[in-house]
Amino acid sequence: MTRITIAKGDGIGPEIMDATLSILNAAGAALVYDEIEVGEKVYLSGNTSGIASASWDTIRQNKVFLKAPITTPQGGGYKSLNVTTRKFLGLYSNVRPCLALSPYVATKHPAMDVVIIRENEEDLYAGIEHQQTDEVVQCLKLISRPGCEKIIRYAFEYARAFGRKKVTCFTKDNIMKQSDGLFHKVFDEIAVEYPEIENEHWIIDIGAAKLADTPEAFDVIVTLNLYGDVLSDVAAQIAGSVGMAGSANIGESCAMFEAIHGSAPRRAGQDMANPSGLLQGAIMMLQHIGQNNVAEKIQNAWLKTIEDGIHTYDIYVEGVSTQKVGTKAFAAAIIERLGQVPSVLKPVSYGASKPMQLPKYQRPAPKTKMLHGVDLFVHWSGTNADELAEKVRVLGDGNVGLSMITNRGIKVWPEGFSETFCTDHWRCRFKPLDGKPIEKIKVIQLLQQAHVLEIDVIKTENLYHFDGEPAFSLGQGQ
Ligand code: NAD
């Protein structure tokens, strides 16, 4: 018996959870449930996180959490419980299988069978944002080596465990050479450890276009948080319906399973909703805890039910479907078919899948880090970069001097273009004149000089070489 935590959530949540649990129980899943309350009621009781602290204890103790969708009240500073849960519990991997069930569920891509594995904790979702000048706000995109290693290794291990043939990496490293570049580099490093699995990299823009047009060209896709968030909804939708897809959020010790759709409040309490998304989450959960035979039995019965044309309203199509059913009757039809396999759709076989082996991240030996300059970001409301250069080039000394000014990344001094539009947010790059490393005190001296001259420095970024390699981007046009 495995003890898991469940939350019935809001809107259609309780109905689809009850349907899912009835199927799990009828299929003989060895589960014991601890139910907790999350979502709207908890938010509206004045708890802005949507969950009580005692409920965290239950989740952390049981380590496996099956969660129905919740309603996040609009406004009022309520925090998204999903984002909080993923980050608190270190659920670094988000897995969304997107499978077409043609001709029973309408899709333009009948051969589609893609799993999107999305990094779940970092990237722009670190949520570190600041307004820096009147005109410019900043959101920090943080990409870490452990973050990349964990998710990319997870993708290859997933492919190995589930007999998948290829892992494709999507990044935008032609533009973001440091951040997306790290993700791509780690992908190349880890891919060689899995010679039996094909690997490839696509630039995200053309990769996304190809995915929308020819999804059957892909198998497992691994990508960064924001790209994965957008693409996994697209993929689920073009496979047939977002209402049919489940998702797993996996960490080193805990895991959360859910449907990808929301609480559909307009459909609540009418016995109409399709429980398939949450059921798909539950099937991934059974595989996660090693109850593969039960997972397989339920998946095959679900496929058989879809194939028999027994459909809820959201996928019902006259001429294809045979019976329009509600939530309860749909669950009952699956229960009736436990032990059967589909005859047109491909039956699944999970018996052979091995538990995934994920080594703990090993921090490599630190590199030699040398300071080779600093970017001073300046709030200045003039428009002529030459004028700003005159003001700031007096900063520094015989060792460090102004080498470049950019505005929103594009070089505007020296030799800028008069056509370039400039905001009030300027980056002034100071570098050692002899190309040798400098002491950190130089940065403080530059800041002191700027303060005296009333130059409004809003932040600094140090320019480092790691093991002798420059580890910062050049100005665009430099
Ligand atoms: P939604 O996914 O709830 O609904 C979108 C559309 O899909 C609606 O037309 C709905 O009727 C339909 N739909 C969704 N699930 C269905 C199902 N199982 N069966 C049949 N039809 C289904 O998205 P929304 O309307 O943007 O959001 C509603 C609420 O859900 C919001 O409060 C939002 O914050 C929340 N939400 C929660 C989660 C989560 O808990 N994981 C995810 C997304 C949205």
Side-chain angles (χ1 to χ4, degrees):
M1 283 287 173
T2 302
R3 182 172 282 274
I4 68 162
T5 307
I6 59 164
K8 293 193 174 180
D10 303 311
I12 58 170
E15 297 158 70
I16 61 173
M17 180 62 87
D18 288 343
T20 299
L21 297 182
S22 72
I23 298 165
L24 291 175
N25 293 337
L31 296 170
V32 186
Y33 309 108
D34 283 329
E35 187 176 342
I36 58 162
E37 180 99 61
V38 295
E40 206 170 16
K41 260 197 237 149
V42 185
Y43 282 119
L44 297 178
S45 74
N47 183 330
T48 52
S49 66
I51 179 168
S53 62
S55 301
W56 281 123
D57 297 341
T58 311
I59 293 173
R60 291 170 76 187
Q61 204 166 11
N62 293 341
K63 303 199 184 318
V64 176
F65 182 23
L66 180 64
K67 187 185 118 329
I70 58 168
T71 303
T72 310
Q74 295 290 308
Y78 300 108
K79 297 276 184 309
S80 157
L81 179 61
N82 285 336
V83 176
T84 313
T85 308
R86 286 171 192 161
K87 298 194 77 166
F88 260 155
L89 300 180
L91 308 181
Y92 64 88
S93 177
N94 184 271
V95 184
R96 286 189 182 185
C98 302
L99 172 68
L101 299 172
S102 181
Y104 308 103
V105 178
T107 171
K108 294 186 186 115
H109 304 289
M112 178 171 181
D113 182 7
V114 176
V115 180
I116 303 218
I117 298 186
R118 154 192 171 198
E119 198 292 315
N120 222 7
E121 290 182 289
E122 46 189 46
D123 192 355
L124 290 160
Y125 288 50
I128 307 173
E129 295 192 299
H130 299 94
Q131 178 162 1
Q132 299 189 326
T133 66
D134 288 313
E135 291 177 344
V136 174
V137 290
Q138 169 188 275
C139 176
L140 275 188
K141 170 159 170 155
L142 292 179
I143 304 295
S144 72
R145 176 166 272 275
C148 296
E149 279 196 24
K150 286 197 305 188
I151 191 66
I152 291 164
R153 196 171 287 290
Y154 186 91
F156 279 100
E157 285 293 332
Y158 182 95
R160 187 175 266 175
F162 290 91
R164 299 250 168 192
K165 304 281 180 280
K166 183 169 77 173
V167 179
T168 304
C169 175
F170 279 3
T171 75
K172 187 76 183 169
D173 69 337
N174 54 333
I175 302 295
M176 285 160 278
K177 295 188 169 69
Q178 295 289 327
S179 50
D180 285 31
L182 177 63
F183 197 89
H184 187 174
K185 183 165 177 265
V186 172
F187 178 78
D188 289 343
E189 286 170 15
I190 290 180
V192 295
E193 295 178 34
Y194 298 83
E196 78 282 16
I197 299 165
E198 199 188 324
N199 70 82
E200 62 179 9
H201 172 267
W202 287 70
I203 298 292
I204 181 86
D205 39 22
I206 189 63
K210 178 83 174 171
L211 176 68
D213 182 65
T214 323
E216 57 278 13
F218 297 103
D219 192 345
V220 174
I221 293 174
V222 65
T223 190
L224 297 98
N225 201 343
L226 175 63
Y227 309 144
D229 191 4
V230 176
L231 275 191
S232 57
D233 268 22
V234 173
Q237 182 66 35
I238 66 172
S241 159
V242 278
M244 301 280 284
S247 122
N249 298 273
I250 311 282
E252 276 168 16
S253 57
C254 297
M256 173 171 77
F257 301 85
E258 57 186 340
I260 76 167
H261 60 74
S263 57
R266 280 190 316 125
R267 306 290 177 188
Q270 297 160 55
D271 189 34
M272 282 181 83
N274 186 346
S276 295
L278 188 61
L279 184 65
Q280 288 304 308
I283 290 169
M284 286 193 262
M285 177 189 77
L286 290 171
Q287 291 171 289
H288 178 78
I289 58 177
Q291 297 190 25
N292 287 4
N293 293 339
V294 189
E296 180 181 309
K297 198 202 270 187
I298 298 175
Q299 181 72 348
N300 282 328
W302 177 72
L303 291 169
K304 177 82 173 112
T305 307
I306 303 280
E307 188 180 282
D308 286 348
I310 300 171
H311 294 167
T312 43
Y313 81 94
D314 54 314
I315 55 167
Y316 182 88
V317 176
E318 205 74 52
V320 176
S321 312
T322 54
Q323 216 184 322
K324 191 190 273 183
V325 291
T327 315
K328 287 195 182 114
F330 184 73
I334 296 173
I335 291 169
E336 248 174 60
R337 286 164 180 75
L338 287 169
Q340 299 181 30
V341 292
S343 44
V344 178
L345 294 171
K346 198 167 142 227
V348 296
S349 169
Y350 298 145
S353 63
K354 300 174 209 85
M356 291 169 55
Q357 299 292 333
L358 288 156
K360 276 220 178 287
Y361 171 72
Q362 303 283 337
R363 179 171 285 172
K367 294 182 176 174
T368 311
K369 179 173 136 188
M370 295 289 190
L371 188 61
H372 275 261
V374 63
D375 284 340
L376 302 189
F377 288 80
V378 172
H379 182 178
W380 183 63
S381 43
T383 51
N384 184 336
D386 291 340
E387 228 177 90
L388 179 62
E390 285 313 306
K391 278 166 90 73
V392 296
R393 68 194 301 185
V394 302
L395 306 181
D397 54 22
N399 277 341
V400 179
L402 181 68
S403 71
M404 173 184 78
I405 300 178
T406 68
N407 196 295
R408 291 185 299 174
I410 179 89
K411 188 187 72 163
V412 291
W413 183 92
E415 292 157 17
F417 284 13
S418 58
E419 290 85 350
T420 305
F421 182 83
C422 290
T423 66
D424 58 359
H425 186 271
W426 307 80
R427 171 177 61 166
C428 305
R429 176 160 290 179
F430 287 82
K431 298 201 72 182
L433 302 174
D434 58 4
K436 297 212 175 101
I438 56 171
E439 297 292 325
K440 218 176 207 170
I441 190 73
K442 292 278 178 202
V443 176
I444 296 163
Q445 286 166 354
L446 281 167
L447 284 172
Q448 246 162 1
Q449 291 175 315
H451 178 69
V452 171
L453 295 173
E454 293 182 351
I455 295 167
D456 184 6
V457 178
I458 46 174
K459 71 163 200 161
T460 62
E461 290 288 351
N462 293 345
L463 307 178
Y464 288 114
H465 287 192
F466 280 86
D467 281 354
E469 289 296 320
F472 48 87
S473 57
L474 298 177
Q476 286 159 345
Q478 196 184 13

